[in-house]
Amino acid sequence: MSGVMQIPEAVLDRNWDTMSASEQRAFVAGNGFIVVPQALSNAELDKIMGEIEYFDLEKNVRDGTEAFCSAPSFTSVLDNPKILSTVKNIIGDNVVCFKADYVAKKSFDRARVEPQRTALHVDYGIGEREGDYRNTSAVWVNVACYLTDMTIEHAPFAVVPGSHRMYHLVPGTDMEELKDDAVTLMAKAGDAVIFLHSTVHAGGVNVSGSTQHIVFCSFRPAWARPIGPVIEWPAEFVSKAPAARQQLLSGVNQGLYPQKNKPQSMLGRFRELFR
């Protein structure tokens, strides 16, 4: 079929669970992503899938963030020990979760649509609604927690290793010139894929006959305040969270230079730094 974006034939598989902290940092520095295998246990997966069914989220989801806040089990992903320790290993100990989402990717008819991927892209500078500054932080990572196994038919994740260092790439432009360098990650249910905001990647088109379920959350260093105001997490949602999780959800509008104290000149910034 003409125009189909091919899923990369090269499937990347490593012993992710044997990596030391320094090996994780080195891999992300060189490649822009990493996999956290079995971040969610079978019991956690069963609970999450049970709540998806109980709240009928697959059919009723209108806003992914709203869905994330409505299912109690989703929030455990935020301070999942395996995920959070890896995130902190990559971007520092003091982190903020500034957005989260639940995605139910329904299946197309396999007889009409063949397995394929979406366009290669980066997760900033595209798709933001006017006034939405959440993706404007200097650095952040996306975490994709897969609740179902990936296959060629079940929308696998494609990524271009090392693309986070290709500073000439312009968000929103055609990045298909990198398709031959892309690899496929066949994540399993419970795996988490963590990737830098500037890493080129693509999702897949689901033709498996069943829905693909993913929970996303995004973290930034606490210092990396966005360039404009962003929506805070709902107060009730935060108040119901354990103390450690509340800390992750707080301060989404704070950073190195809080808006009310932001220096108005370069000289003022130097004075702040050397005060």
Side-chain angles (χ1 to χ4, degrees), residues 5 8 31-33 99 105 117-124 126 135 140-144 146 156-164 166 169 173 175-176 178-179 181-185 193-204 216 218:
M5 296 179 179
N31 296 278
F33 68 93
K99 64 176 181 176
K105 188 179 291 187
R117 60 171 171 80
T118 57
L120 293 169
H121 65 280
V122 292
D123 276 352
Y124 71 99
I126 60 171
N135 290 359
W140 50 279
V141 295
N142 255 337
V143 181
Y146 287 87
F157 185 85
V159 63
V160 180
S163 54
H164 63 303
M166 298 178 182
L169 297 177
T173 61
M175 299 182 181
E176 290 304 307
L178 303 176
K179 64 183 180 180
D181 298 321
V183 297
T184 296
L185 301 179
V193 178
I194 302 176
F195 55 100
L196 296 171
H197 73 287
S198 53
T199 300
V200 178
H201 64 281
F216 289 95
S218 301

Side-chain angles (χ1 to χ4, degrees), residues 18-41:
T18 64
M19 283 187 175
S20 65
S22 60
E23 288 172 334
Q24 282 186 334
R25 287 193 297 272
F27 188 87
V28 175
N31 296 278
F33 68 93
I34 200 163
V35 177
V36 181
Q38 297 302 289
L40 302 175
S41 67

Side-chain angles (χ1 to χ4, degrees), residues 7-77:
I7 296 171
E9 293 184 4
V11 176
L12 181 63
D13 190 18
R14 290 180 61 103
N15 293 325
W16 306 102
D17 54 352
T18 64
M19 283 187 175
S20 65
S22 60
E23 288 172 334
Q24 282 186 334
R25 287 193 297 272
F27 188 87
V28 175
N31 296 278
F33 68 93
I34 200 163
V35 177
V36 181
Q38 297 302 289
L40 302 175
S41 67
N42 289 335
E44 289 172 311
L45 287 171
D46 289 343
K47 185 175 183 180
I48 291 174
M49 293 302 294
E51 288 187 3
I52 290 173
E53 182 176 357
Y54 177 79
F55 291 106
D56 204 11
L57 294 180
E58 184 178 337
K59 293 181 180 179
N60 295 332
V61 60
R62 295 183 299 275
D63 178 86
T65 302
E66 180 182 331
F68 184 88
C69 293
S70 67
S73 61
F74 284 176
T75 58
S76 63
V77 170

Side-chain angles (χ1 to χ4, degrees), residues 87-98:
V87 167
K88 290 183 174 183
N89 190 27
I90 296 170
I91 60 174
D93 287 335
N94 194 3
V95 299
V96 173
C97 178
F98 62 94

